[in-house]
Amino acid sequence: MARTVVISGGGTGIGFATALAFARDGDTTVLVGRRPEALRRAAETVAGAVACPADLTRPEGAATVAELVAERFGTVDVLVHSAGGNGGLEPAAESGDPLAATAHDWTVNFRLNTLTAVLLTEALRDRLASPGGRVLFLSSIAAFRGSGSGAYAASKAALHPYAFDLARDLGPRGVTVNVVAPGLIEDTEFFGDSMTPERRQARIDETLNGRAGTPGDVAETVHWLASHAAGHLTAQVIQVNGGAERGR
Ligand SMILES: NC(=O)c1ccc[n+]([C@@H]2O[C@H](COP(=O)([O-])OP(=O)(O)OC[C@H]3O[C@@H](n4cnc5c(N)ncnc54)[C@H](OP(=O)(O)O)[C@@H]3O)[C@@H](O)[C@H]2O)c1
């Protein structure tokens, strides 16, 4: 039976690839992001997609998604949290003061990666299909290894205990909650223009299979975790990184 799948960050990268994977099954996807134009382009490509522009760092943004779901679908079968990033694409700190810049970096990352996922979850938790609902968070290899500044990694790691608590709360309703933690994934907007050939090669060299990941690698994992077959798998963090977290 066709399902309703809400995907934050569904207009680009991993979220978009995830929408394509569910659309193959005839599911209806609700694509959420801040840029209406990016969502419109994505919804034209993904069969059965509905664009829902919203800023998920704001309670009103999460409420907008919940209202659309309530009016059009009633319940959500699958909730995928792909909205996020390392803050590099967000407005820079206004002050050059080092402490102010640190406060900005940590605030931006926790709003972008943690708050977006928490607000949307809380807005939709009572509408999750019970039994059978699925919640999937996008974390990162950075949550295990650090990310340089620490802010991005910490904001992703914060999702893990939140997901575990949610899995405990929703388990009796027959809803599973899992986290997918990718390594380097190309063909997304994540890195902007900040990726150098040397940095890219260093990331690839860390993998055991000698390649970068694709949005499809992550989308297929999310799609399977949302399947009936994965019904006994909950409160787990699944790493999709070609073994890079173990390293060579
Ligand atoms: N690419 C990688 O190497 C990699 C590795 C590990 C983890 N990840 C994680 O995977 C997820 C998807 O990233 P990606 O690589 O696919 O990058 P991406 O193409 O930049 O996707 C991020 C999406 O999040 C949306 N978004 C950002 N802030 C938002 C907000 N406040 N409200 C609603 N939507 C928001 C963006 O759309 P708008 O800008 O229009 O809002 C964009 O569509 C992220 O959580 C990222 O941290 C990526």
Side-chain angles (χ1 to χ4, degrees), residues 1-204:
M1 210 174 72
R3 296 187 291 179
T4 301
V5 184
V6 173
I7 306 174
S8 77
T12 66
I14 292 168
F16 176 67
T18 302
L20 290 173
F22 283 99
R24 272 196 328 249
D25 298 338
D27 292 340
T28 298
T29 53
V30 178
L31 311 181
V32 186
R34 290 167 299 182
R35 289 166 295 163
E37 186 53 27
L39 293 178
R40 189 189 59 73
R41 278 197 305 273
E44 279 174 5
T45 310
V46 180
V50 175
C52 182
D55 180 351
L56 296 173
T57 62
R58 305 171 65 83
E60 312 86 86
T64 297
V65 183
E67 281 159 23
L68 181 139
V69 166
E71 283 168 17
R72 308 252 319 239
F73 309 106
T75 55
V76 179
D77 297 291
V78 184
L79 174 55
V80 181
H81 295 288
S82 194
N86 60 14
L89 304 178
E90 303 301 308
E94 285 175 9
S95 162
D97 171 67
L99 274 183
T102 298
H104 178 80
D105 185 29
W106 282 74
T107 304
V108 163
N109 270 284
F110 269 83
R111 287 176 63 80
L112 195 52
N113 294 295
T114 318
L115 194 59
T116 52
V118 170
L119 287 178
L120 187 60
T121 301
E122 297 303 327
L124 291 175
R125 67 189 288 158
D126 292 343
R127 296 201 168 273
L128 287 165
S130 308
R134 300 280 189 264
V135 183
L136 282 312
F137 294 93
L138 262 297
S139 176
S140 169
I141 189 172
F144 296 89
R145 297 180 27 165
S147 59
S149 81
Y152 173 68
S155 70
K156 285 300 191 187
L159 293 172
H160 301 187
Y162 177 64
F164 304 153
D165 281 345
L166 195 65
R168 273 188 202 98
D169 286 351
L170 300 182
R173 282 173 50 189
V175 176
T176 67
V177 181
N178 289 293
V179 181
V180 175
L184 169 64
I185 305 296
E186 294 191 315
D187 300 325
T188 80
E189 297 184 357
F190 183 86
F191 293 100
D193 55 10
S194 69
M195 182 57 89
T196 63
E198 295 75 24
R199 191 172 162 215
R200 173 180 183 271
Q201 194 55 52
R203 296 278 186 96
I204 290 173

Side-chain angles (χ1 to χ4, degrees), residues 219-234:
E220 293 304 327
T221 304
V222 168
H223 184 254
W224 180 76
L225 286 167
S227 71
H228 180 72
H232 199 47
L233 203 163
T234 194

